[in-house]
């Protein structure tokens, strides 16, 4: 059966790998992101694309209209839009407190609000039974992220997923969170990764390697499978053992 799969942040990194994985299994994929050229250039056979900022109410209204016209029901909703905020446009600030306010606002906007708004806009379109909602958190939600802003904005998704799982469970829909460790071959780090930092992150793993977008995509695909129907309200870590299960 062909499923409709909506993926925010689907033009690059983990979202793109997920799109390729689902499309390879015959599913119909809709890629969302802000940069139209990036979405159009994504190599995903048969994919639909729609450019929007999903941290914006009007942006998600546009997505909801597009989904209603082009897909109807949503079988799998994957929230891969996000980042540490370092790739976002910055306003010059002198005042350190204003800098802190900007950092926390940007992180909650791109990591938390994107996922919450898109979920709420598409919630009634989720297939029942069998619908799947999948969030992308991070190892940072367990460890902190330096300033705390990125980590907190990911950790905020955990209680939201628990509330949503309870709400959507009676409709036969599961809600889970995937929390990756270091994943290379994405745009996430911009130019902030160097050999020494990479080696430190790899040394933390038990597997002795960096994660790949395909590792995370395979976990998302498994959580979306019929066999995972009784897994809901869980946070699944994909980090090669860098952070132990809890
Ligand atoms: N890479 C890692 O090591 C790692 C580790 C743990 C968790 N994660 C999480 O995994 C997810 C995917 O990240 P990635 O590693 O694949 O990085 P990535 O390649 O930078 O992907 C992030 C995607 O999100 C999109 N995006 C950001 N803000 C958006 C918005 N407001 N509206 C719509 N789309 C938006 C970006 O496209 P546009 O800029 O065109 O909108 C981009 O395609 C993120 O949530 C990230 O926090 C990554």
């Amino acid at each position: 059966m062909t499923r409709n799969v909506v993926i925010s942040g689907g033009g690059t990194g983990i979202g793109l790998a997920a799109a390729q994985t689902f499309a390879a299994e015959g599913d119909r994929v809709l890629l969302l992101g802000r940069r139209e050229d990036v979405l159009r250039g994504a190599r995903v056979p048969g994919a639909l694309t729609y450019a929007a900022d999903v941290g914006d109410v009007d942006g998600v209204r546009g997505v909801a209209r597009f989904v209603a016209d082009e897909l109807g029901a949503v079988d799998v909703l994957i929230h891969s839009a996000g980042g540490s905020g370092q790739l976002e446009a910055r306003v010059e600030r002198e005042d350190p407190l204003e800098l802190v306010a900007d950092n926390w606002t940007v992180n909650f906007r791109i990591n938390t609000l994107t996922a919450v708004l898109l979920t709420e806009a598409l919630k009634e379109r989720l297939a029942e039974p069998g619908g799947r909602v999948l969030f992308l958190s991070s190892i940072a939600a367990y460890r902190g992220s330096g300033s705390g802003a990125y980590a907190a904005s990911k950790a905020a998704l955990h209680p939201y997923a628990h509330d949503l799982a309870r709400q959507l469970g009676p409709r036969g829909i599961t809600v889970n969170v995937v929390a990756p460790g270091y994943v290379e071959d994405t745009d996430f780090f911009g130019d902030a990764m160097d050999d020494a930092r990479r080696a430190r992150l790899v040394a933390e793993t038990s597997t002795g390697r960096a994660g790949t977008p395909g590792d995370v995509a395979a976990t998302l695909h498994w959580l979306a499978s019929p066999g995972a129907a009784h897994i809901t309200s869980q946070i699944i870590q994909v980090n090669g053992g860098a952070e132990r299960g809890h």
Side-chain angles (χ1 to χ4, degrees):
M1 189 194 80
T2 300
R3 295 182 296 179
N4 293 329
V5 183
V6 176
I7 307 180
S8 75
T12 66
I14 292 168
L16 175 58
Q20 289 165 337
T21 302
F22 281 87
E25 296 292 320
D27 291 325
R28 185 154 51 153
V29 174
L30 168 60
L31 309 177
L32 306 173
R34 291 168 299 185
R35 290 166 297 170
E36 194 159 10
D37 56 323
V38 170
L39 297 176
R40 290 251 163 88
R43 288 193 301 277
V44 183
L48 298 170
T49 64
Y50 184 88
D53 180 344
V54 298
D56 176 76
V57 170
D58 287 337
V60 293
R61 282 202 180 109
V63 174
R65 277 193 300 271
F66 186 84
V67 167
D69 292 346
E70 301 294 331
L71 299 179
V74 176
D75 297 284
V76 184
L77 175 57
I78 299 177
H79 300 283
S80 196
S84 65
Q86 70 190 359
L87 302 180
E88 300 299 301
R90 284 295 162 111
V91 182
E92 286 301 317
R93 300 276 192 205
E94 294 286 313
D95 185 331
L97 276 182
E98 284 179 357
L99 271 174
V100 171
D102 279 355
N103 184 26
W104 282 73
T105 304
V106 163
N107 270 285
F108 270 82
R109 191 170 191 282
I110 64 176
N111 292 302
T112 318
L113 199 57
T114 51
V116 172
L117 280 181
L118 187 61
T119 302
E120 297 298 327
L122 297 181
K123 209 159 67 175
E124 296 313 317
R125 298 212 158 266
L126 288 167
E128 54 183 280
R132 301 283 192 262
V133 182
L134 295 163
F135 296 101
L136 266 301
S137 177
S138 169
I139 193 170
Y142 296 91
R143 293 179 160 188
S145 55
S147 73
Y150 173 68
S153 70
K154 287 300 191 187
L157 295 171
H158 302 186
Y160 178 58
H162 298 322
D163 283 343
L164 202 63
R166 206 173 276 282
Q167 211 180 95
L168 300 181
R171 287 171 53 195
I173 298 165
T174 67
V175 181
N176 290 291
V177 180
V178 174
Y182 169 50
V183 179
E184 62 186 1
D185 297 332
T186 74
D187 291 351
F188 183 89
F189 292 95
D191 53 12
M193 184 55 65
D194 56 40
D195 289 348
R197 185 177 180 196
R198 182 184 184 281
R200 269 200 313 278
L201 292 170
V202 168
E204 288 181 351
T205 66
S206 302
T207 52
R209 67 169 178 85
T212 66
D215 290 325
V216 184
T219 304
L220 293 165
H221 193 258
W222 162 64
L223 285 167
S225 70
H230 205 50
I231 300 174
T232 196
S233 213
Q234 303 302 313
I235 297 139
I236 312 289
Q237 298 194 64
V238 181
N239 58 32
E243 182 75 18
R244 291 174 178 81
H246 55 86

